[in-house]
Amino acid sequence: MSRETNSPVPVNLNTSMKGLSVLKLGGSVITDKTTPEAVDTDTLETVVETIGSAVTSGESASTTGHERQTSAERSKKDIGNLNHHSHAEHEGLIIVHGGGSFGHHHAERHNVSTTTGTSDAAAIWEIHDAMRRLNDTVIEALHAVGVPAIPVHPLSVATRDENSTLEIPIDPFSRMLAQGYVPVTHGDIVIDSQSGATILSGDEIVVSVAEGLTADRVGLCSTVSGVYDDDGSVIPKITTYESVADVLGDSETTDVTGGMAGKVRTLLNLEMPAHIFGPTALTEFFAHKQVGTSIQ
Ligand SMILES: Nc1ncnc2c1ncn2[C@@H]1O[C@H](COP(=O)(O)OP(=O)(O)OP(=O)(O)O)[C@@H](O)[C@H]1O
Ligand SMILES: C=C(C)CCOP(=O)(O)O
């Protein structure tokens, strides 16, 4: 059932949070990657509940006893205060989600990857349309738990230049954040100056927006608890690709963006540390604990 907290409010992850969090929800988490276009409804609900609690909770360290509010009460109060807040604080949350069984199946069917492009408008539309529909589902799930989520569709705003470097405008994100919204963007297909249109991984978007907005923390929530070593233990910290190249593999399911190997390679480009962790560690991520594997 929908709560009444979808109006923009200054995002309050908890009082210890100062700065921006960029969180990627892996496509493997929110969809069943073995079946085309299958949302993993149970897991999606679980993770958005956790996000909803972190974003709308009044249970922060400075909130005591009678000051505590339900999400709906809080929403009403904040709606009333909107004009006053208008919104000096540049804190907040950006959510990026991956392709899962929506993007990757269509991309593979059309033989498109991050480097092999297509000039077929129908193929571009099919891939984008699948991602757009998955994004609709994520936004609706977030609204149901009171998160003021609004979409950013990369195909309409992002491109790759002659060197395949991603160009994505940061202003829409910062302005949405400034007004208290939670921008929700996604892996997509984008126009590529070299080769028609190519796949853009959500991981690449994470790096661009986290750097463009000097995010405080970056988290990638995947199905695994972190990057595993040969023995199946989570590697606490990765600082070079070479040190883990032997244990990094592709995704076990259809994935045109390189699975865990692609993820680690992309995240090593980040200036700030990123954490790869599983859905059960999401609450700890929001509580600023060390979770999963840190890529630094
Ligand atoms: N050393 C490793 N440690 C952990 N997972 C690994 C490792 N090597 C390969 N993998 C695979 O990488 C997968 C995670 O990559 P994947 O691209 O599927 O993640 P995702 O971001 O959640 O999904 P999507 O790309 O659809 O957004 C794991 O499910 C696992 O199959
Ligand atoms: C396959 C498409 C369209 C997007 C891939 O994004 P990712 O799952 O974040 O790598």
Side-chain angles (χ1 to χ4, degrees), residues 30-269:
I30 59 173
T31 74
D32 171 2
K33 260 175 125 169
T34 60
T35 310
E37 297 206 10
V39 176
D40 184 337
T41 315
D42 290 346
T43 310
L44 177 61
E45 270 177 20
T46 305
V47 296
V48 298
E49 274 290 340
T50 306
I51 295 168
S53 303
V55 169
T56 63
S57 165
E59 308 266 331
S60 57
S62 65
T63 310
T64 56
H66 66 278
E67 290 175 302
R68 288 196 180 130
Q69 304 157 322
T70 64
S71 295
E73 285 166 345
R74 184 181 181 78
S75 169
K76 281 183 193 140
K77 179 172 173 231
D78 285 325
I79 288 166
N81 284 345
L82 266 184
N83 290 339
H84 304 293
H85 282 303
S86 272
H87 291 284
E89 296 196 53
H90 226 70
E91 302 186 350
L93 173 67
I94 293 175
I95 297 175
V96 181
H97 66 80
S101 64
F102 283 71
H104 291 284
H105 279 275
H106 288 286
E108 193 178 66
R109 202 160 51 82
H110 290 291
N111 192 29
V112 188
S113 70
T114 52
T115 49
T116 306
T118 180
S119 303
D120 177 1
I124 295 171
W125 167 245
E126 266 181 45
I127 295 165
H128 174 71
D129 180 48
M131 288 308 302
R132 192 185 47 75
R133 284 183 284 111
L134 178 59
N135 184 255
D136 289 351
T137 303
V138 174
I139 300 257
E140 280 162 15
L142 286 163
H143 285 186
V145 296
V147 176
I150 46 175
V152 179
H153 299 303
L155 173 62
S156 304
V157 292
T159 53
R160 290 191 194 280
D161 71 11
E162 296 70 24
N163 306 312
S164 291
T165 304
L166 172 63
E167 294 183 331
I168 185 163
I170 293 303
D171 263 17
F173 293 94
S174 60
R175 285 168 202 250
M176 287 174 190
L177 289 167
Q179 294 202 14
Y181 295 104
V182 174
V184 183
T185 189
H186 52 86
D188 205 346
I189 183 161
V190 291
I191 297 301
D192 185 318
S193 306
Q194 291 275 13
S195 38
T198 50
I199 298 300
L200 168 64
S201 170
D203 302 342
E204 288 178 77
I205 305 175
V206 166
V207 170
S208 284
V209 297
E211 277 182 355
L213 291 165
T214 324
D216 197 42
R217 35 209 336 269
V218 172
L220 271 75
C221 180
S222 190
T223 37
V224 284
S225 305
V227 181
Y228 299 134
D229 64 16
D230 277 337
D231 302 327
S233 306
V234 171
I235 302 169
K237 192 188 228 182
I238 296 174
T239 52
T240 64
Y241 188 80
E242 294 66 38
S243 63
V244 289
D246 289 350
V247 297
L248 294 177
D250 293 340
S251 180
E252 281 161 12
T253 47
T254 308
D255 191 298
V256 301
T257 53
M260 191 57 82
K263 208 172 292 303
V264 171
R265 207 188 283 277
T266 305
L267 291 177
L268 279 166
N269 294 322

